[in-house]
Amino acid sequence: MPAAPENDEPTGTGEAAGGMVGAVVGEDGLLATLRLDARAMRFGSMDLADHIVSAVRAAQQDRLERMDEATSAEEGVLPEEFMRRLDDMEAQASHDFARLTSSLDETLRRLEER
């Protein structure tokens, strides 16, 4: 998976399942891209969901590390603001993941019906 683009606002990338699942979180900390190798569809729905969560968390962690690097070079980021941003990112990621899991479950159900 390519490195996140360098810009003023850090993004993050992450992978799981030996690179079969990849995620990119954007400047806002929200999931921007999810990449699933065709081989990843061989996993059961629970395993696939776990790999997706791992990739997204790795991307979020990468973004946080990039944010730490950026903020250590700057002063003025208040801890309260930082915590609020993290809470917002966590809530949005949870919502996005619930939608994604529902969509994947529906897709797998349709494939199993064939």
Side-chain angles (χ1 to χ4, degrees), residues 64-99:
L64 288 175
E65 289 169 3
R66 290 171 186 263
M67 284 179 63
D68 287 345
E69 291 170 5
T71 57
S72 67
E74 301 174 5
E75 288 190 63
V77 176
L78 299 174
E80 296 83 12
E81 175 65 14
F82 184 73
M83 292 305 295
R84 185 193 62 75
R85 288 180 187 178
L86 285 177
D87 289 343
D88 290 348
M89 287 179 359
E90 181 179 4
Q92 185 63 45
S94 177
H95 176 72
D96 290 347
F97 184 71
R99 283 190 358 226

Side-chain angles (χ1 to χ4, degrees), residues 36-56:
L36 298 174
D37 186 286
R39 295 171 296 161
M41 299 309 290
R42 295 180 189 151
F43 293 120
S45 61
M46 294 302 293
D47 288 336
L48 181 58
D50 288 343
H51 291 307
I52 291 170
V53 168
S54 294
V56 171

Side-chain angles (χ1 to χ4, degrees), residues 23-37:
V24 175
V25 293
E27 297 170 357
D28 56 5
L30 302 178
L31 184 61
T33 305
L34 179 66
R35 179 187 49 79
L36 298 174
D37 186 286

